[in-house]
Amino acid sequence: MRSSKILPLLAVGLAFALSACGAMEAARQEQVQKQQVFEHRVDMAHIWVTTEAPASGKPYTELGDLSYTEPFTPDAIDEAKISDKLKAMAFAKWPDTIDAIVDENQTTSADGSQITVTAKAIKYDSSVDREALHHMNEGMVASPTGN
């Protein structure tokens, strides 16, 4: 008689424990996803785009050339959109090393129907910014006394 009362309680307890594990795993996955989104945002913001040559006196390594051609439209010559497109291209090729896109240049075809954008991707030899930004939320303390 007593075992007939314990068995349903045990089943309910087991079901509750399993659902709690699932909820904890879902919360952990959500946190991992948020961290990945944060890192991507930081990485994209970290990439500097300029029409100028790399800063003098700061050693760098050239990663490679970037280039694309598209039909001439107002959006095609929008500097923010050009920067975003170059950043996306560079990040796809060199996600862990790209620091800057330099010598960005735009040329229009002779008939004015297309625009070609070229640039060079570089990595600064002394760059540690990206790694530091990835870990900026780790070990945060809510109070100055560490409590």
Side-chain angles (χ1 to χ4, degrees):
M1 169 107 162
R2 185 171 187 160
S3 65
S4 65
K5 291 182 180 180
I6 293 175
L7 194 56
L9 287 175
L10 185 61
V12 169
L14 183 60
F16 180 72
L18 288 174
S19 67
C21 288
M24 288 174 57
E25 179 61 23
R28 189 185 73 72
Q29 288 295 333
E30 182 181 343
Q31 187 62 29
V32 167
Q33 177 66 22
K34 283 181 183 179
Q35 181 65 24
Q36 289 172 343
V37 167
F38 170 77
E39 286 180 11
H40 182 73
R41 219 180 264 147
V42 165
D43 287 343
M44 294 304 276
H46 169 84
I47 301 170
W48 176 53
V49 180
T50 182
T51 57
E52 299 176 9
S56 62
K58 190 168 184 181
Y60 67 91
T61 301
E62 190 172 314
L63 299 173
D65 293 325
L66 298 168
S67 177
Y68 71 89
T69 301
E70 65 182 16
F72 188 89
T73 64
D75 281 347
I77 59 172
D78 182 293
E79 284 298 326
K81 291 183 181 184
I82 290 171
S83 290
D84 288 346
K85 191 164 191 165
L86 288 171
K87 285 180 179 186
M89 289 172 64
F91 189 77
K93 288 183 177 183
W94 306 284
D96 297 325
T97 55
I98 181 73
D99 285 320
I101 298 168
V102 297
D103 295 331
E104 182 246 315
N105 187 35
Q106 305 167 28
T107 56
T108 307
S109 64
D111 65 357
S113 65
Q114 293 186 324
I115 183 170
T116 299
V117 177
T118 59
K120 292 180 185 173
I122 65 169
K123 174 193 183 301
Y124 288 111
D125 294 345
S126 63
S127 178
V128 294
D129 296 342
R130 176 174 290 147
E131 189 64 25
L133 288 169
H134 279 204
H135 300 288
M136 69 185 274
N137 290 333
E138 293 176 7
M140 292 185 72
V141 177
S143 72
T145 60
N147 295 333

